Amino acid sequence: MTERFYTTSTAFLEALAEAGVQYIFANLGSDHPGLIEALAQARADGSDKDLPRLIVCPHEMVALSAAHAAALVSRSPQAVIVHVDAGTQNMGGAISNALRGRAPVLVFAGAAPYTMENELPGGRNEFIHWIQDVPDQRGIMRGYVKYDNEVRYGSNIKQLVHRALQIAASEPAGPVYLVGPREVMEQPLEPYTVNPADYRPVEPAALTAEVADEIARVLATARNPLIITGHLGRDPEAVPTLVELADLLAIPVIESGPFKMNFPADHPMHRGWQFTTSAQNPLLAEADVVLVLDCDIPYIPGNNRPAPDAAIYVVDVDPLKYGMSLWHVPARRSAAANSKVALEQIAAAVRANGFDSDLVESRRAAVTAAHDAQRAALDALEHPEDGAITPRYLTACVRELLADEDALVLTEAVTNFQVVAEHLRVNKPGSLLGSGGASLGWSGGGAVGAKLFSPERTVVSLVGDGTFLFSVPSSAQWLARRYGTPTLTVIYDNRGWRAPKQSTLGVHPSGAAAAADDFNVSFEPEADLPGIAAAAGGAFAATVDDPAELPSVLKDALAAVHAGRSAVVAVHLPRAQGA
């Protein structure tokens, strides 16, 4: 790029590229002329190949969701550009998801110009510049980001970008937020460079030798040890280390609130999943030692808790959950450490100190038998009921559909999280991805971001009908069509919000709402959800309510995806409310 056109905006784009950012998911506005001009100049002189690729996103929820998934799949930060306060607010739930899902994403927003009488290039010249001037734009995001700052002068823009991305990528990873007024982004600069190696993320932390030895000792001597994990699989390389330790001592593993593939479902030490369970997990109640690894919610104390005398150890990059105002696990030791590193240390200490092989082999036989019985019981549930498709049958059909695929599944089926986990049963690290957050609609943009970094894989989203509507499907499906990222979306369609109904029944099981089936959650009259995808993105669209037709419709949908066309299949399940 020629020096004449080198501005803060140019340096900003260069800094993203220097840091390894490959995509900018953008919803541009009146605050971005400097960036738009810098990109156009780069295309004009051929230097655009050295900059991140800009992905035009018609909705901010879709933009940040795409960046979130892209960052998790690529395991490298990505970027989002949004329009002042309005675009910032439009990300709403997506920024909450990025925080809870530990997604390293840099969000950049413009800010209202601070001059209005032609004092500087980029000053106020549109009526909207006064309307967009709010007292604390950064405050909108402050509860959901690790770091926020304002670009006040162009000469240190690269340092600010690299610092923000260093913070975003350091564990626990998460989003960061920068704002820059138009005048600053238009400021002419002398070209300059910054060494990205000076801004590396913080290196993985290890356990102290004392703690590693203690955990190894208590696990090796326990009669009923248990491992609970939820996020360990965000690093696919950590999964084999967990398998190694579980194999070594025959320790059963539970996945609690998992939004990653943490442990192979077919492994004999895998003992199931738990989300919002209403009953006591017998494994947890019987455990004399519990190792909690990278897990936000190892159990829900009101329903399901360990024995009072159980020895609990917590290993996590964030063992105290600083961002959660109410959280507690009565651990003997809580250690801030990288799980992969910690597991290697613990396994090495177990081998060095030895263990009772008879005890381990006896437990291995018992856990394996329980695993096999659990799987047989789940298999017996995979059939239609009274001529209707059930969530279990649907998930089993999806599992069979993907048996020979290198698939990446995005899970956002909410009240069917447990069902999807139990009947999809993924075994490959990096093959399952959820938002990790509480705001629905992530998978629409998320599927596009995942596919951009996994073009060779079959990307499949399993969603509820409410989730699909939250995802701004017209925008998400158009995006997939424009950028050639075909994916399959399967809608668990009960024509309503089942989650509020379940929540109400959990508090008022015999109340008036329960007696009258009056929950205000119905989506009747039914919308043609696949039709939205067909209209906006040219997708293959189908709705199924006959169990016998389901496998063939899913097969046709997958064939359309392989041919380069997205597909959306709504599968009718029993209604959330009413007949």
Side-chain angles (χ1 to χ4, degrees), residues 37-288:
E37 179 63 17
L39 286 165
Q41 289 293 336
R43 283 190 291 272
D45 65 23
S47 62
D48 60 313
K49 65 182 183 303
D50 299 321
L51 300 178
R53 182 184 180 190
L54 188 111
I55 304 295
V56 175
C57 299
H59 197 282
E60 293 85 352
M61 175 71 180
V62 175
L64 182 50
S65 297
H68 176 162
L72 295 183
V73 172
S74 67
R75 298 179 63 192
S76 62
Q78 303 304 321
V80 173
I81 294 176
V82 297
H83 180 46
V84 293
D85 62 320
T88 297
Q89 292 181 94
N90 230 16
M91 290 186 295
I95 194 65
S96 175
N97 287 338
L99 175 68
R100 297 303 183 193
R102 302 179 182 179
V105 176
L106 184 149
V107 178
F108 176 83
Y114 52 80
T115 59
M116 66 180 189
E117 295 186 2
N118 295 322
E119 299 98 322
L120 293 170
R124 297 188 183 193
N125 62 357
E126 302 176 39
F127 84 94
I128 202 169
H129 293 153
W130 279 263
I131 297 171
Q132 293 167 342
D133 191 356
V134 296
D136 187 9
Q137 181 177 314
R138 288 159 58 191
I140 299 168
M141 297 283 274
R142 198 161 291 131
Y144 301 95
V145 296
K146 294 180 66 182
Y147 169 83
D148 67 274
N149 206 345
E150 179 179 346
V151 183
R152 296 180 177 89
Y153 195 70
S155 296
N156 69 343
I157 179 70
K158 287 194 174 184
Q159 290 89 332
L160 289 181
V161 169
H162 282 288
R163 171 166 166 74
L165 288 168
Q166 180 185 36
I167 293 171
S170 295
E171 294 289 359
V176 294
Y177 184 59
L178 292 177
V179 301
R182 294 208 317 179
E183 293 94 332
V184 172
M185 301 308 292
E186 295 283 353
Q187 180 185 342
L189 296 178
E190 292 292 325
Y192 78 107
T193 61
V194 168
N195 184 4
D198 293 340
Y199 293 87
R200 288 178 54 85
V202 173
E203 298 298 328
L207 298 174
T208 64
E210 177 189 1
V211 172
D213 286 343
E214 180 178 334
I215 295 175
R217 184 178 67 255
V218 296
L219 287 175
T221 56
R223 299 202 66 82
N224 294 303
L226 177 66
I227 295 174
I228 303 177
T229 187
H231 290 287
L232 174 134
R234 72 184 190 280
D235 176 5
E237 295 176 7
V239 175
T241 63
L242 177 55
V243 171
E244 179 185 358
L245 181 63
D247 267 337
L248 182 63
L249 292 176
I251 303 175
V253 177
I254 291 174
E255 295 186 73
S256 186
F259 293 101
K260 308 289 186 296
M261 181 276 169
N262 300 292
F263 195 80
D266 289 346
H267 193 284
M269 293 300 107
H270 196 295
R271 289 292 284 112
W273 300 262
Q274 58 185 24
F275 288 85
T276 303
T277 53
S278 58
Q280 175 68 53
N281 188 313
L283 273 174
L284 183 59
E286 296 164 2
D288 52 355

Side-chain angles (χ1 to χ4, degrees), residues 295-312:
C295 191
D296 285 347
I297 309 166
Y299 52 85
I300 297 175
N303 305 328
N304 176 29
R305 62 173 64 226
D309 59 347
I312 303 175

